[in-house]
Amino acid sequence: MAPALMRLALALAVAVVGCCAARQPGGRVDLWPMPASVSRGARTLYVARDLKLSTAGSGYKDGKAILADAFRRMVAVIQLDHAINGSYHGLPVLAGVNVAVRSPDDELKFGVDESYKLTVPATGSPLYARIEAQTVFGAFHALETFSQLCYFDFVLSVTGLHWAPWTIVDKPRFPYRGLLIDTARHYLPVPVIKSVIDSMVYSKLNVLHWHIVDEQSFPLEIPSYPKLSNGAYSYSEKYTINDAIDIVQYAEKRGVNVLAEIDVPGHAGSWGVGYPSLWPSATCQQPLDVSNDFTFKVIDGILSDFSKVFKFKFVHLGGDEVDTSCWTTTPRIKSWLVQHGMNESDAYRYFVLKAQKIAISHGYEIINWEETFNNFGDKLDRKTVVHNWLGGGVAEKVVSAGLRCIVSNQDKWYLDHLDATWEGFYMNEPLTNIYNPEQQKLILGGEVCMWGEHIDASDIQQTIWPRAAAAAERLWTPVEKLAKDTTAVTARLAHFRCLLNERGVAAAPLAGYGRTAPSEPGSCVRQ
């Protein structure tokens, strides 16, 4: 066995003991991601079968019932389909949860206050946990944390909660904590996308980056240009615009923004299936034709339709891996370049900046992959967020230039790299070599990327989890509370991975690489 795997096996062996200890007062705090501040006592409570939601003292009226729905989901999660049929006679019973939200607003905006305070008393009659939050979205996070305090007591057949009283004060380290899914390389049915959103909530990720289209497939119906979806793999592997609305609304009700991406001008060969004039030629199909006004009319139509569906303040316009050779080998485009005094690099910049202006006209701020910054960073609109993916050193250059940045460096945070271990995901620090506090604020956060070449509905969840959770703690937990050695968190992450399995999320074992399988019979936490 390799030394690294031997260390992991030892840590997971310890996790088995730790898991048992976690069921008793004095054991480890098994919360993921770790909150900013935690204190606890030593008393065991039992959670009422009909746990009640109270909103006494709240300024939030819950007109859309999203808090009530979140509470019902939380109760279902802690009961885990067990028969809660034991007797509560003589037991200290937690009767309910009082949720006091200060703000009446429930519009999910970027940078919304996600902080909360959760207290669980040890005495009182009736006993109520209390959640205080500025917004309903902070309350959602508190409910998730509360759910992780609970467990099923197999002796009493009721739900238990150890170590009361609890006081947990918490808020995220970064406002942007993302997960990319790719529906162009393989189609992901709507229920699968929703299941991914549900699983994001468990580790407090808050942005679903939907890489909708690429050169292989254009699966989304666009009302302004309906033939674009002719580029889908098949008649059934498509999303209607109402599907997109449904996904966005589903995510928002769980505190997750949906970031839509159309990658231009490269990665766009599928666009020309329905509109061949978008291709430079029938034999040289991408990047999109920079010389054709129709190209930009189509982009304008897409973004106009997007603005009615995707309410997140950002739109992702791609801009990566652009091979401009089709522009110079197609005579009419080459002639256009000469006429406008442009070379290939000029045309690439012209295309990206024109697409940015279109997006801004529809009320968006823009995210572009880092190649745009690397090639003409000083020309980018100041509303641009640069998405780092190629490697280290870029983020510090971006913030030094005064632009915002999202970190997804592929050597650490690409989930399709199956040799990228959870330890690498955990230790990847977005603020590496960025020491100026004002520049640190320009790092919005980070994103793990589940590119779809080798995943579909059959294996997406076990490829995402638990490695994405390792990054989620890096993005949520205060830096001073993050482990400097991953062996310190192995047992806790193993417990969380088992919790995901219990909740129906097909999270893979920790022992091994991405999307690994259990090696032998044994306990979940040993894997």
Side-chain angles (χ1 to χ4, degrees), residues 59-76:
Y60 177 67
K61 302 305 181 186
D62 200 24
K64 301 173 186 175
I66 62 173
L67 177 59
D69 287 346
F71 185 81
R72 280 193 290 270
R73 290 194 301 273
M74 183 273 292
V75 171

